[in-house]
Amino acid sequence: TGVPVDAAEFLWALAVGYDWLYTWPGFTEADKQVVRNQLVLRMNENVDETGLNGFPNFPTGPSTAKSIYDNMSAGNNNLVNAFGGLALWEADNKYGANPSAQKFLDAARARFVEMYKVGKTHAPNGGYWEGQGYSERRGIGEAYFAHVWKVAIGEDFFAGNTHLQGMPYYWIYGLRPDDTSTREGDQTCLPAGCDRRRFLSELFADVYQDGFSQWHAQHKGASAGGDWPDVLFYNPAIPAADPVTLPLHRYFALGMVHLRTGWTIGPGSPDTHFAFQVHDWISGHSHVDVNSFALYRKGSLAIDSGRYKGGSSAASAHERNYAIRTIAHNTMTVYKPGEDFGPRANDGGQEFLFQESNAAEPRFIADLNDGTRFDTATLETFDVGPDYY
């Protein structure tokens, strides 16, 4: 699966530190050369081991490399490639590192272009196929790359990117009346979400001059003197727009519908929240939950009962036999004795496309075309009437 998360974050920190400390007198030329050597060595490994199939001009990596649908492709692997390339590049190439930097930058840009296409194709108004938690990790990669790329290169990947613009709305509409998040797909940072959700809302509020994103950033604790992303991204001059002026429904084109009776969020809220989803099986963090729903009013009434933990073999067995399977969700199952789910339990549910021991995920947009293996379900229409959805 490529370079481990901690190794990727180390490279990210190394590249940013090299850039920030470059003009500091205590950062000697000898020190800089040591860092450059390590960046070139480790970044070459990162590009080779986390490359994606389909780019013949760049290393493609092993068959297990993360796909353009996976959160880690954006949140760790290819953001690291971009940061390393930008740190190493010098206009006069006085250190001779530009050929390596060019390779890292070209690889990162090519992959992010494909990932932006994925978002705008499948989730053009927000939403994410791996759920609320992983949308933050994916968003960090896509948004931070767009930000640094615009500053350094001038090319604007925010412009016209309705997927990124709609990301905070997925989190806003996913707020249940008790101020916790709905659970779709594998979840991290439950129940309230990670700090990166705040950082991204700050950035999107500033980039798109969006008052609802600013409301969400403030709701999650935005501060001009907080963590370093707050200092960089939070613009207190942008007026927040209370979601009470938003519609009570949101149809995310990915195949998710969130409905609510009001925008009272917090203890004692009388409101009802209903979430429903029908979408393709897109990655290993997607759940087999077509036509499933969750319902909340003064407490959880119908829940997504599968809890993602990750890491251990026991956790993996629980996830693949229960947590991500149909039986852990509110939808129909039809039990057929002897139905083949490979080494996994027969839960009477929908086909589990991650059942193989060497499982495949979609790697290209065409892999989700009508009639393909991963085209599991489509929400054909969503209609709103005077007294119904």
Side-chain angles (χ1 to χ4, degrees), residues 280 366-378:
D280 292 332
D367 289 344
L368 287 162
N369 286 348
D370 290 348
T372 61
R373 177 180 185 232
F374 301 105
D375 172 35
T376 53
T378 302

Side-chain angles (χ1 to χ4, degrees), residues 109-131:
R109 184 188 182 279
R111 289 161 174 81
F112 272 110
V113 165
E114 292 300 306
M115 284 187 272
Y116 293 139
K117 288 180 183 177
V118 161
K120 289 186 281 188
T121 298
H122 301 295
N125 64 338
Y128 185 51
W129 43 90
E130 292 184 331

